[in-house]
Structures are given as structure tokens and as C-alpha cells.
């Protein structure tokens, strides 16, 4: 969910819950005023991911780094199930430990907006995330051709890799967005409404549901 304030998040939640999402990511970095994690948590029983994305990772956070990560930790303390912290976050080890101590699971994420790294580079990135304590590794690149989808999907398979989110952004990466959870990914992302996407090539939840229905899954 991308929204300008807490009130709009609640509106989006009401709309999207009728479509049957499995979990919801709240993008606090899209808010024009600081969001209220407690009110959001109390409004739904669905699992929630707290994300306050750094600008150098494609986000819109307007606050200091200290305030940015503090809001994520506040959300976990309020009952959010996942904290999303970027691999290049300063003091990641300490912050990740704090998120876990508060009862949250740690998503360590990395986004490449230039292209698709090799499968070897993706696995190296995943290894770094595992070493830093990731419960879920989120590794996203930008597909430059349909063949890049195979690179992302090739990461799924071994037990060590089962808690992995990996696909390509952009129109050419839609296939990996759709197929990654079928291949063994922890989950995939969709926007709550038309025009509400947080990344290139992101389909709406309704579109994703229609595709999965047509696929029989």
C-alpha cells in the first residue's frame, strides 16, 4: 500500500482486504506526514510488513536515517510482523537484532535498478543477507529482456533459499513476478489499486489474482 497518510492507508486497507491478500506491505516512505503504525496495526488482522525505503534503494524517505529506521522499529513494536531493512543500511546487524527482539521477522532487501545481475552475483547477495540474519531475503533487479526471468527463477530450490523473494522489475520481469512464489518464493508483490504501484512492472492484486485463477493455482 502506497498512501499519503495514515487515513489513506486505512481506506486502502478496507478496499484491498476484500480481494484476499495474504499479507500487506505498508510503504511509510510514501507518506507526506509520519504514519501511525499502531492505528494501522489495529485496523487489520493480516500480517504486515513495515517498509520505509531509502532513496538510494528506490524509496521516498524524507527523514534522517535515524528517524527512518526508528519508524520501522516502532511499527514492529506496534505489532507489524516484518521489518524490511536494506542490505546497505548502516548498523544493519544491530537494527536487525532489535527488530527480532521486538518480535518481528527480518526482511533484508536489495534492489538493482540498472539491470539483472548474474545468478552467481544474486547468490552472493543472498549469502550476505543470510549472514546478516535475514529471515527473508528480498533480491530484486531490473529485467532487460524476457530471458532475465530465468536468472531470477534459478535461485529457488535448495532449503537454504526457500525464504526468498526474487524477481525482476519492469515489463520484461512480469513473468518472474508471477512465477516466483510458484517456484518456491516466500511471496510476491502487487499494488493495492491501479496507479498505486511502488515499482516498475507491478501489477495490481486483482490482476495477479486473475492470472493465478487462469493458471489454476
Amino acid at each position: 500500500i502506497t498512501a499519503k497518510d495514515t487515513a489513506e492507508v486505512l481506506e486502502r486497507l478496507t478496499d484491498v482486504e476484500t480481494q484476499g491478500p495474504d499479507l500487506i506491505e505498508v510503504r511509510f516512505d510514501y507518506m507526506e506526514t509520519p504514519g501511525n503504525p499502531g492505528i494501522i496495526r489495529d485496523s487489520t488482522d493480516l500480517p504486515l510488513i513495515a517498509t520505509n525505503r531509502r532513496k538510494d534503494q528506490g524509496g521516498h524517505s524524507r527523514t534522517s536515517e535515524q528517524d527512518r529506521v526508528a519508524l520501522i522499529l516502532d511499527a514492529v513494536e506496534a505489532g507489524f510482523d516484518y521489518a524490511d531493512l536494506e542490505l546497505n543500511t548502516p548498523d544493519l546487524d544491530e537494527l536487525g537484532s532489535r527488530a527480532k527482539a521486538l518480535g518481528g521477522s527480518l526482511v533484508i532487501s536489495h534492489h538493482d535498478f540498472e539491470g539483472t545481475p548474474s545468478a552467481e552475483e544474486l547468490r552472493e547477495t543472498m549469502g550476505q543477507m543470510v549472514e546478516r540474519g535475514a529471515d527473508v531475503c528480498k533480491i530484486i533487479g531490473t529485467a532487460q529482456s524476457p530471458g532475465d526471468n530465468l536468472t531470477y527463477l534459478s535461485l529457488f530450490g535448495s532449503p537454504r533459499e526457500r525464504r526468498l523473494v526474487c524477481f525482476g522489475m519492469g515489463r520484461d520481469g512480469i513473468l518472474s513476478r508471477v512465477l516466483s512464489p510458484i517456484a518456491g518464493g516466500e511471496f510476491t508483490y502487487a499494488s493495492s489499486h491501479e496507479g498505486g504501484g511502488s515499482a516498475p512492472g507491478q501489477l495490481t492484486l486483482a490482476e495477479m489474482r486473475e492470472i493465478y485463477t487462469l493458471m489454476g493455482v
Side-chain angles (χ1 to χ4, degrees):
I1 289 178
T2 58
K4 64 182 180 182
D5 54 29
T6 298
E8 187 176 352
V9 170
L10 301 182
E11 292 176 11
R12 297 296 181 196
L13 272 170
T14 299
D15 292 339
V16 78
E17 281 189 311
T18 63
Q19 301 177 47
D22 299 297
L23 72 168
I24 292 175
E25 178 190 50
V26 178
R27 287 292 299 267
F28 287 97
D29 54 301
Y30 275 78
M31 296 188 193
E32 298 172 1
T33 57
N36 188 315
I39 291 176
I40 296 171
R41 174 68 280 178
D42 291 343
S43 69
T44 180
D45 293 327
L46 286 170
L48 294 175
I49 304 173
T51 301
N52 197 10
R53 185 72 69 219
R54 291 168 57 96
K55 283 189 175 181
D56 63 2
Q57 280 287 290
H60 301 276
S61 178
R62 303 169 178 85
T63 64
S64 68
E65 180 66 11
Q66 182 178 356
D67 289 343
R68 184 186 75 85
V69 297
L71 180 55
I72 296 173
L73 294 176
D74 286 347
V76 175
E77 188 170 18
F80 274 61
D81 303 87
Y82 297 87
D84 184 315
L85 293 171
E86 298 82 359
L87 183 59
N88 65 345
T89 300
D91 302 318
L92 175 60
D93 294 344
E94 177 190 350
L95 293 169
S97 295
R98 289 173 61 186
K100 291 184 179 185
L102 291 169
S105 295
L106 178 61
V107 178
I108 298 183
S109 59
H110 178 70
H111 299 75
D112 186 330
F113 291 89
E114 300 298 323
T116 295
S118 67
E120 181 179 351
E121 290 172 316
L122 293 174
R123 285 195 169 86
E124 182 178 341
T125 298
M126 182 176 59
Q128 294 174 20
M129 292 175 171
V130 171
E131 290 175 1
R132 305 297 291 275
D135 295 305
V136 179
C137 302
K138 180 187 178 186
I139 309 173
I140 310 299
T142 301
Q144 303 289 352
S145 70
D148 285 344
N149 290 288
L150 298 177
T151 302
Y152 298 108
L153 294 173
S154 71
L155 260 68
F156 299 104
S158 76
R160 186 187 181 199
E161 300 165 359
R162 67 178 180 273
R163 298 205 74 185
L164 172 68
V165 175
C166 186
F167 55 79
M169 293 181 285
R171 182 177 179 84
D172 285 332
I174 290 176
L175 187 62
S176 57
R177 278 187 181 276
V178 172
L179 293 182
S180 57
I182 298 174
E186 187 76 359
F187 46 79
T188 191
Y189 288 76
S191 63
S192 60
H193 61 286
E194 190 69 37
S198 59
Q202 195 173 81
L203 304 176
T204 65
L205 177 58
E207 290 171 330
M208 293 285 274
R209 286 291 190 197
E210 182 178 4
I211 291 170
Y212 288 135
T213 298
L214 291 171
M215 293 176 65
V217 299

